[in-house]
Amino acid sequence: MFSGSVRTDMKVAIGAILAVFLWTGTASADVLDRGAFAAALCGDAASLGSAAEAVTRRAADLSRDDLAWAAQPLRGILERRLVCLGTSAVLLDRPGAGEGRSVVSGDPQPAAGARASVLGLRQRALVETADGVLALLAAPQVEARAAGLWAAERRIAAVPDGVFARAEAAETDAGLKAAIARVAEAAALSSPDPQRRLAAIDRVAGAPSSNALSRLSALKADAAYAADPAFRAALDAGIAQVERAVAVGNGLAILYNGLSFASILFMAAAGLAIIFGLMGVINLAQGEFIMIGAYATYGVQEALRLIAPAWLDLYLILAIPVAFLATALVGIAIEALVLRHLYRRPLMSLLATWAVSLFLINLVRVAFGTRNLQFTMPSYVSGGIALYADFVVTWNRLFAIGFAAGTLVLTLLVLRATPLGLNIRAVTQNRDMAGCLGIPTRQVDRLAFGFGSGLAGLAGVALAPIYSVNPQMGATFIIDSFMVVVLGGVGTVVGTLIAALGVGQINVLIEPFYGAVAAKVIVLVGIILFLQWRPEGLVAARRRR
């Protein structure tokens, strides 16, 4: 009984000595004593935990080879593949195997009669932390390094400062590098060293975001906030700085989102303004022309997927002329078959375009179904770039803004620099006089209706990477489009642009506070009140009598 107790005490002492040697005897040489480390892993639970804790503390200074080597037995402990023959550690290929390899030499070694390493709850936490730190620093796969970062973050107070600095400097994956920097800042903020915490507050405040604000605000619950005036002053200043930056970033985000929404509204309403101003037709099928443009874009995508997969990334660009021509032809056909008989009867033309709208919706339902279409996101509209605080410029919305600007330039060129545009302006100002001067007003009506329909089709192209595309999508924009046309001034493209910018920005500004429905109601009431004061809209169309 006595001799067994002595052997146990000696075993504990040997394990402790080996663990201490592991930490103190080789720290200056930055070389891991692999024999001592393996022997410590085969000691008792205290020895094993000390070895794991020591290798964690030295991880930032050890070579990559030593880190990769030490990671194997630690992972083996967690997977129950590490067994011990006395003080010799053997790593099995699988749990329960009869043979493995020596941890130190790598030579094959039988495992008969070997015992498994003993892990208590505290020792398991130490081994998991050490395993995570070594994986973060030495694992070749990004996924393994990310898992190591997560494990290290769980016991962040036990991870030395240099580990995250070394991992961040060596990391090649941009996303994981940013995550390491975030965890390193969190470690510094919880450091017991006051100077390190102050420096961390300055770094976090220098990269403002909502996440940074939350992390700094959480430090107000720290005892140092009440006890240390310097810490309190630095933290308050950092929080104020981040709050200002976040407010500016949120303002920029509202302006950007409003501009992208206004871009869609302008493209949806520009064609309607031309049709309404020229022919006085309230076209309730304009929203369905947007839908046709989006479905034409989907058709181009699927055709490229079958015929030229290498060109699939360019389907949005190639869909621009296809969507414009397809929607313009549909508009010309509707004008020729239905609307040309109803120009003198506005109520009948409104009902007729409503019937056309229902027909197109149900036709698309039968042909394509009712589910949302799945679009491949091209590289040039995927992702974005963070500019300031939480303000991120997303490429899909920037594409819509640029596309709307191009559509505006195209529309103004057609109206001001082509014979068709000259005829449209002449007929809009005085139809009877234009007819007397030899302008074919019927042909102008048909081409203008096709041109206005084509502009709505272009809006469908811009919508494809942003909104859900389904047979009902047009109904979302038709009311807003009419509000924009009436507010801007019937028949004026410039007025439509100004009104779209105003309605888009106000909608985006009000919606977070009162909801989407209330925002539309508030905008509608505002437009009605404005028209009571200025019935001709923002920009009055030029007409001659």
Side-chain angles (χ1 to χ4, degrees):
M1 186 74 178
F2 178 80
S3 61
S5 175
V6 171
R7 284 196 299 269
T8 301
D9 292 341
M10 288 180 63
K11 190 175 181 181
V12 173
I14 291 172
I17 291 171
L18 289 173
V20 172
F21 175 79
L22 173 69
W23 166 240
T24 60
T26 61
S28 60
D30 295 332
V31 175
L32 180 65
D33 188 328
R34 298 185 178 186
F37 181 72
L41 294 181
C42 282
D44 62 358
S47 172
L48 190 155
S50 297
E53 190 173 17
V55 80
T56 300
R57 291 175 182 172
R58 293 190 53 211
D61 301 318
L62 293 173
S63 68
R64 190 178 181 88
D65 288 341
D66 280 341
L67 293 172
W69 177 87
Q72 298 180 42
L74 290 174
R75 173 54 49 182
I77 292 173
L78 296 174
E79 296 175 352
R80 298 181 180 276
R81 294 187 298 109
L82 186 79
V83 295
C84 297
L85 291 168
T87 58
S88 299
V90 179
L91 190 62
L92 307 178
D93 293 334
R94 65 183 186 280
E99 187 179 36
R101 290 185 176 274
S102 170
V103 169
V104 177
S105 65
D107 297 330
Q109 186 170 343
R115 61 176 178 82
S117 297
V118 180
L119 271 183
L121 291 178
R122 180 178 180 276
Q123 287 73 31
R124 175 171 290 277
L126 293 172
V127 171
E128 287 177 349
T129 302
D131 177 68
V133 167
L134 299 186
L136 175 62
L137 294 175
Q141 301 86 6
V142 175
E143 296 78 7
R145 295 197 298 274
L149 176 64
W150 179 80
E153 188 177 10
R154 291 180 61 189
R155 294 188 73 243
I156 195 169
V159 181
D161 302 346
V163 168
F164 295 120
R166 177 176 174 179
E168 184 181 0
E171 185 55 56
T172 56
D173 182 80
L176 183 55
K177 192 181 188 75
I180 294 172
R182 176 184 59 80
V183 175
E185 287 178 351
L189 289 174
S190 60
S191 172
D193 182 0
Q195 296 303 319
R196 187 181 172 211
R197 298 184 78 180
L198 293 177
I201 290 172
D202 288 339
R203 287 199 304 272
V204 172
S209 66
S210 296
N211 185 38
L213 181 60
S214 299
R215 286 156 57 194
L216 291 180
S217 298
L219 292 179
K220 285 188 172 182
D222 194 285
Y225 184 75
D228 187 350
F231 178 80
R232 182 170 59 253
L235 183 59
D236 289 342
I239 290 175
Q241 178 183 342
V242 174
E243 284 177 339
R244 288 193 299 270
V246 169
V248 173
N250 291 340
L252 293 174
I254 290 174
L255 291 175
Y256 181 67
N257 293 336
L259 185 58
S260 66
F261 182 57
S263 301
I264 301 297
L265 279 183
F266 169 73
M267 287 188 288
L272 188 62
I274 295 172
I275 294 171
F276 194 20
L278 178 68
M279 295 175 281
V281 173
I282 301 176
N283 181 20
L284 292 182
Q286 189 76 0
E288 280 54 58
F289 292 153
I290 298 174
M291 179 259 294
I292 291 174
Y295 273 80
T297 304
Y298 179 75
V300 172
Q301 171 191 271
E302 295 306 301
L304 288 176
R305 194 190 302 277
L306 293 175
I307 300 171
W311 290 63
L312 184 60
D313 205 46
L314 298 176
Y315 79 89
L316 273 181
I317 307 300
L318 298 177
I320 293 175
V322 175
F324 180 84
L325 292 175
T327 315
L329 290 175
V330 172
I332 290 173
I334 291 173
E335 195 279 338
L337 296 175
V338 179
L339 290 179
R340 70 185 182 93
H341 305 291
L342 304 174
Y343 283 147
R344 302 293 182 182
R345 291 179 284 182
L347 180 60
M348 293 299 295
S349 64
L350 185 148
L351 294 175
T353 55
W354 182 45
V356 169
S357 168
L358 296 177
F359 171 77
L360 292 175
I361 289 174
N362 287 284
L363 181 64
V364 172
R365 280 178 175 171
V366 172
F368 296 94
T370 59
R371 293 185 299 178
N372 292 337
L373 298 182
Q374 299 298 319
F375 284 88
T376 300
M377 293 297 287
S379 58
Y380 47 87
V381 295
S382 300
I385 181 172
L387 287 188
Y388 187 73
D390 291 331
F391 175 46
V392 178
V393 174
T394 53
W395 301 135
N396 57 352
R397 293 186 179 275
L398 188 62
F399 173 79
I401 294 171
F403 193 29
T407 302
L408 173 63
V409 172
L410 171 67
T411 304
L412 293 177
L413 285 176
V414 170
L415 293 178
R416 299 179 184 275
T418 65
L420 173 62
L422 180 62
N423 290 340
I424 289 175
R425 286 187 289 140
V427 174
T428 300
Q429 290 183 19
N430 193 316
R431 177 179 292 272
D432 294 334
M433 183 60 71
C436 292
L437 293 174
I439 296 176
T441 56
R442 287 290 306 111
Q443 182 181 2
V444 171
D445 288 340
R446 186 162 301 170
L447 293 177
F449 198 92
F451 180 64
S453 302
L455 291 178
L458 293 181
V461 177
L463 282 169
I466 301 177
Y467 293 94
S468 298
V469 175
N470 55 60
Q472 298 288 347
M473 65 178 294
T476 307
F477 297 94
I478 186 63
I479 302 301
D480 288 336
S481 299
F482 272 110
M483 287 196 301
V484 166
V485 169
V486 174
L487 177 62
V490 176
T492 63
V493 175
V494 175
T496 301
L497 173 64
I498 298 173
L501 290 172
V503 171
Q505 292 290 354
I506 293 173
N507 258 299
V508 172
L509 185 63
I510 296 176
E511 189 171 321
F513 300 99
Y514 301 104
V517 176
K520 291 186 181 298
V521 172
I522 293 172
V523 170
L524 178 60
V525 171
I527 291 174
I528 292 173
L529 294 177
F530 177 81
L531 293 177
Q532 295 294 317
W533 170 66
R534 189 178 175 86
E536 67 274 18
L538 291 170
V539 180
R542 295 177 58 192
R543 297 185 182 274
R544 297 180 184 273
R545 294 181 180 273

